[in-house]
Amino acid sequence: MMAKEKKTPEQLSIDPAAQEMLIRAEQIGVGTAFTRAENMAPCNIGGAGMCCKLCGMGPCRLTKEGQTGVCGATIDTIQARNFIRAIAAGSAAHSDHGRDMAFTLKAVANGEAEGYYIRDVAKLRTVAAHYDIPIEGRAPEEIANDLADLYLAQFGQQRGEVAPLKRAPAKRQKLWRDTKVVPRGIDREVVEALHRTHIGDDQDPEHILQHAVRTALADGWGGSMIATDVADILFGTPAPLLGQANLGVLKQDMVNVIVHGHEPTLSEMIVAASQTPEIIEYAKAAGAKGVNLAGICCTANEILMRQGVPAAGNFLQQELAILTGAVEAMVVDVQCIMQALVGLATNFHTKIITTSPKVKIKGATHIEFDEHKALTIAKQILREAIDNYKNRGDIQIPDVREDLVPGFSHEYINYMLGGSYRASFRPLNDAIISGRIRGVAAIVGCNNPRSQHDYLHTHVTSELLKQDVLVVQTGCGAIASAKLGLLLGEAGLDKVGPGLREICETVGIPPVLHMGSCVDNTRILTVLTQMVEEGGLGDDIDQVPAVGLAPEWMSEKALAIGTYCVASGAYVMFGGSSPISGMPDKVEDSDIVLRYISEGWEELYGGKLEFIDDPDEMIARTLAHIDKKRAELGLPEYDPQRFGRSGDARMRELEALPLAERQAALYGTPGK
Ligand code: NFS
């Protein structure tokens, strides 16, 4: 057999900074997720969802027609069980993050959380009002205490409906009640998903998948929404600011500290601590100019959105950051943290510091975070990093970085379209109705070394922009676009269609709106709900010309997000392979579940979930879906010829023309 040809750095990533670090890894002789993925062929049976390892009689691999597991489980049951377990894990991760945020809010409300305070009282009042918590004449702390209690109760609630669900369009809520997928309590649905998939329990795939929807809804309209709300209340609702992204944000003459993971509680405090005179002095005494903070993954998004702290990169760049040799400490909390970091760091001076009581990695330094003394702990972590500055060896920081404008919370989108006095989604709806904006695509999710790093995200994003599709992004997808310069204001506009360009110029926004971390996908649910409530685009989310895409997905959280978006009415496409693809050429019924989450769910919820590995097919289906929804709403057919006759760029073109031609272009030729 011929040896597999090794991929070049250019084939592994489209990002020049990543390519440079992959070359350095090769020179040093260390592996990364990129090389490990090359050396580890995925299991085609498990990868297709055709392996059951839920009990000790197996694992059972069902690769032949008519085969069942030892217990008699059929292929569709096994696939449904594998799928719901992934959704339960993803929902648990997001929602447990939400729970910790609610605990922090409770501690802040009771004056027990050192260094934190309620930064966004307006948001606190708005959120509290959703749940009829009295706000008039009450101190923010009193309101926050009630809200924290209400939010904490959602996790252990046994009956009824999780509270944030009432923020969905009325018609959607009714649909969920009719189809019996309303989550009763967040923890309850996750536990029940595990119970139902224990050996000998729920064995009807459709019934299992109905609960998968309920579990995912407990995340999207429950735990994740709580996480976003509380983060905004405590750290401020994002509004646009200037940021930077890519490994070039690391500094040669400063102590570089990377915060990586997902929860903003500690990272926000590290931001605050890094600016205290005491820490700056300590860094100077160590011979550095100060402390330079940067983020990776969704922690990056949290502090980029609110503080403008630069993002060193997305998921696949965590190891590459260490390879620069310029990182004194990588401080991690929860989720998406590669175990390989610790081994890799032994080749450099970098300290890997775990901080969550839930996450330890053998060989890492553990400094446990406690929100009651957060500032003290943040300073202790920074001192550790500063003490490590003297141990730096040979460094190589890629000179690659890009500016971006993040910070598009749904509150800001509402405000930007109408200002303080007439904040409204009307202009956005009108732009869609007129066809200037053809539709909206949410392009979100992870990186996956099974495909070229950042390529799928940025290819799909760039192509949809040319087709006048407004793009909103979160997670690692947003960082991919940021690095490519798609999250800039005017500078990115030569890459977008004529109608969208007019809107971006008029409102003064980039064509891609960075809406935050992955838990902040709930902001997209809110935007869709507000668009529906504004009127003109139907009376439920499934009627809006919008699509959700996760081109480079890899995490179980992504599956939970995809599922709650489908249940909310969205058409969602994942790139790469499906975890339940089956092998229909070998085992006839092994794609029943795959078809059910598409056609079956569409019948029930108006949204569907598909796995499409060809990005151009994703783009084609996105546009076809948007156009179909436009037609169903009776909106004019998309026609780019109608637009682009205005806007800044057009004015510059016209200025260059001789007077007569300019007048003809502006006012038409007499007699025509
Ligand atoms: Ni989302 Fe964020 Fe990135 Fe994927 Fe991981 S960081 S929560 S899971 S890899 S987008």
Side-chain angles (χ1 to χ4, degrees):
M1 212 170 84
M2 276 234 305
K4 213 174 81 182
E5 221 174 290
K6 225 174 93 193
K7 286 189 184 155
T8 63
E10 289 76 17
Q11 288 170 320
L12 292 172
S13 174
I14 62 159
D15 174 354
Q19 292 165 4
E20 189 180 327
M21 286 302 101
L22 289 170
I23 294 168
R24 182 161 154 99
E26 171 104 39
Q27 285 163 350
I28 298 173
V30 294
T32 61
F34 294 86
T35 50
R36 290 190 297 274
E38 278 200 274
N39 299 333
M40 169 73 70
C43 165
N44 62 341
I45 301 169
M50 298 171 79
C51 170
C52 180
K53 48 187 175 71
L54 296 185
C55 81
M57 297 190 288
C60 299
R61 294 171 303 163
L62 273 55
T63 53
K64 295 193 187 84
E65 193 61 59
Q67 231 178 358
T68 67
V70 175
C71 69
T74 53
I75 184 69
D76 47 350
T77 297
I78 288 173
Q79 288 176 319
R81 291 198 300 217
N82 287 336
F83 196 57
I84 192 177
R85 282 211 161 196
I87 288 168
S91 301
H94 277 156
S95 297
D96 210 29
H97 165 175
R99 182 202 323 268
D100 283 341
M101 296 301 301
F103 272 128
T104 306
L105 183 66
K106 176 83 182 165
V108 175
N110 291 285
E112 295 164 355
E114 177 199 56
Y116 296 107
Y117 59 98
I118 296 166
R119 268 198 224 167
D120 196 336
V121 175
K123 175 123 190 186
L124 169 70
R125 292 166 68 94
T126 309
V127 173
H130 283 306
Y131 309 115
D132 303 321
I133 293 173
I135 50 176
E136 287 319 317
R138 299 182 82 201
E141 288 71 23
E142 283 179 89
I143 304 170
N145 187 54
D146 286 358
L147 182 64
D149 284 343
L150 178 106
Y151 272 175
L152 285 168
Q154 302 311 304
F155 296 91
Q157 183 170 285
Q158 303 303 326
R159 294 195 188 85
E161 301 184 352
V162 294
L165 205 89
K166 66 195 299 199
R167 287 153 69 175
K171 194 171 166 194
R172 186 65 23 185
Q173 292 180 44
K174 182 174 181 306
L175 175 69
W176 290 331
R177 285 180 197 116
D178 292 347
T179 50
K180 298 194 169 47
V181 293
V182 172
R184 297 153 295 187
I186 299 165
D187 292 357
R188 178 168 183 186
E189 307 315 344
V190 174
V191 168
E192 190 171 312
L194 295 178
H195 176 191
R196 286 196 196 207
T197 51
H198 183 271
I199 162 78
D201 275 304
D202 200 359
Q203 282 151 84
D204 174 337
E206 289 186 14
H207 193 237
I208 294 170
L209 292 166
Q210 181 192 28
H211 188 68
V213 166
R214 178 149 57 174
T215 308
L217 285 173
D219 174 11
W221 295 91
S224 278
M225 199 166 268
I226 291 173
T228 299
D229 281 349
V230 177
D232 284 355
I233 290 167
L234 290 179
F235 308 122
T237 301
L241 37 69
L242 190 63
Q244 280 197 325
N246 218 339
L247 294 170
V249 304
L250 297 174
K251 300 255 167 64
Q252 206 166 346
D253 49 6
M254 293 178 91
V255 174
N256 290 305
V257 177
I258 289 196
V259 283
H260 168 26
H262 284 77
E263 292 178 344
T265 25
L266 174 61
S267 49
E268 281 281 346
M269 207 45 80
I270 292 181
V271 176
S274 72
Q275 290 156 2
T276 59
E278 145 196 11
I279 290 293
I280 295 169
E281 277 315 306
Y282 195 73
K284 286 191 175 153
K289 280 209 175 133
V291 175
N292 177 46
L293 280 187
I296 294 265
C297 282
C298 282
T299 295
N301 288 320
E302 296 277 357
I303 52 176
L304 172 69
M305 290 280 285
R306 296 191 180 88
Q307 316 290 348
V309 173
N314 47 13
F315 175 71
L316 278 179
Q317 283 173 290
Q318 53 188 290
E319 292 174 289
L320 308 184
I322 291 178
L323 274 156
T324 62
V327 177
E328 275 56 56
M330 185 176 273
V331 185
V332 303
D333 50 47
V334 293
Q335 301 166 24
C336 302
I337 300 147
M338 292 189 196
Q339 188 170 353
L341 292 175
V342 174
L344 179 65
T346 59
N347 296 283
F348 303 91
H349 74 307
T350 309
K351 272 198 173 175
I352 307 293
I353 302 177
T354 52
T355 58
S356 166
K358 292 166 205 162
V359 176
K360 281 195 179 186
I361 308 175
K362 232 180 176 172
T365 306
H366 189 72
I367 302 179
E368 197 153 301
F369 174 65
D370 174 353
E371 72 264 30
H372 299 96
K373 36 186 180 144
L375 191 59
T376 308
I377 294 167
K379 284 181 184 168
Q380 185 193 346
I381 288 171
L382 289 176
R383 276 197 208 95
E384 287 262 346
I386 295 166
D387 290 344
N388 198 20
Y389 184 65
K390 61 177 182 299
N391 299 324
R392 244 192 215 184
D394 172 33
I395 69 166
Q396 182 182 340
I397 302 173
D399 190 18
V400 184
R401 69 194 76 76
E402 186 55 89
D403 288 341
L404 73 140
V405 181
F408 291 90
S409 54
H410 52 87
E411 286 88 347
Y412 187 81
I413 294 177
N414 191 24
Y415 163 80
M416 78 188 184
L417 294 166
S420 300
Y421 295 105
R422 45 189 179 86
S424 154
F425 272 78
R426 191 74 249 152
L428 177 61
N429 283 20
D430 284 346
I432 294 174
I433 291 166
S434 71
R436 276 196 172 80
I437 293 178
R438 186 171 182 174
V440 180
I443 305 177
V444 306
C446 326
N447 289 143
N448 188 330
R450 297 286 168 207
S451 63
Q452 191 185 22
H453 171 225
D454 286 350
Y455 168 71
L456 295 175
H457 276 302
T458 51
H459 176 66
V460 171
T461 303
S462 318
E463 291 306 312
L464 289 177
L465 291 177
K466 287 182 201 155
Q467 298 289 330
D468 289 302
V469 175
L470 176 71
V471 175
V472 297
Q473 291 206 277
T474 59
C476 291
I479 301 177
S481 292
K483 290 187 290 172
L484 204 72
L486 295 170
L487 265 60
L488 284 169
E490 207 174 319
L493 290 185
D494 53 337
K495 302 172 188 122
V496 313
L500 176 60
R501 182 181 182 134
E502 284 182 6
I503 298 295
C504 291
E505 283 173 351
T506 309
V507 184
I509 51 166
V512 180
L513 305 180
H514 186 341
M515 296 189 71
S517 63
C518 275
V519 290
D520 294 338
N521 281 316
T522 60
R523 295 193 202 279
I524 299 173
L525 297 178
T526 306
V527 165
L528 290 167
T529 303
Q530 292 184 339
M531 285 167 78
V532 166
E533 283 166 359
E534 184 59 45
L537 293 175
D539 59 0
D540 197 357
I541 293 173
D542 61 335
Q543 295 169 47
V544 178
V547 173
L549 302 150
E552 298 180 26
W553 83 277
M554 62 85 202
S555 77
E556 291 169 314
K557 287 178 290 175
L559 294 174
I561 294 166
T563 304
Y564 73 62
C565 287
V566 170
S568 303
Y571 176 19
V572 176
M573 273 176 276
F574 278 42
S577 58
S578 152
I580 44 165
S581 63
M583 299 175 189
D585 49 333
K586 279 194 178 167
V587 181
E588 209 190 324
D589 284 345
S590 65
D591 62 351
I592 289 181
V593 171
L594 196 68
R595 277 188 276 122
Y596 182 72
I597 61 173
S598 171
E599 293 148 31
W601 276 357
E602 189 172 32
E603 232 167 81
L604 286 168
Y605 310 112
K608 56 182 169 176
L609 184 55
E610 289 179 349
F611 293 84
I612 311 288
D613 60 1
D614 173 1
D616 293 316
E617 181 63 24
M618 277 181 127
I619 294 163
R621 289 189 191 204
T622 299
L623 296 173
H625 182 79
I626 284 174
D627 290 346
K628 183 174 134 211
K629 292 292 163 184
R630 293 188 65 85
E632 283 170 7
L633 286 168
L635 303 181
E637 219 172 286
Y638 166 71
D639 174 11
Q641 305 300 332
R642 290 172 50 217
F643 305 108
R645 318 307 309 162
S646 66
D648 301 349
R650 179 68 180 152
M651 287 318 288
R652 277 195 288 275
E653 268 171 44
L654 292 174
E655 275 164 22
L657 296 176
L659 184 65
E661 276 181 52
R662 192 189 316 162
Q663 283 182 335
L666 278 171
Y667 310 114
T669 313
K672 280 206 176 168

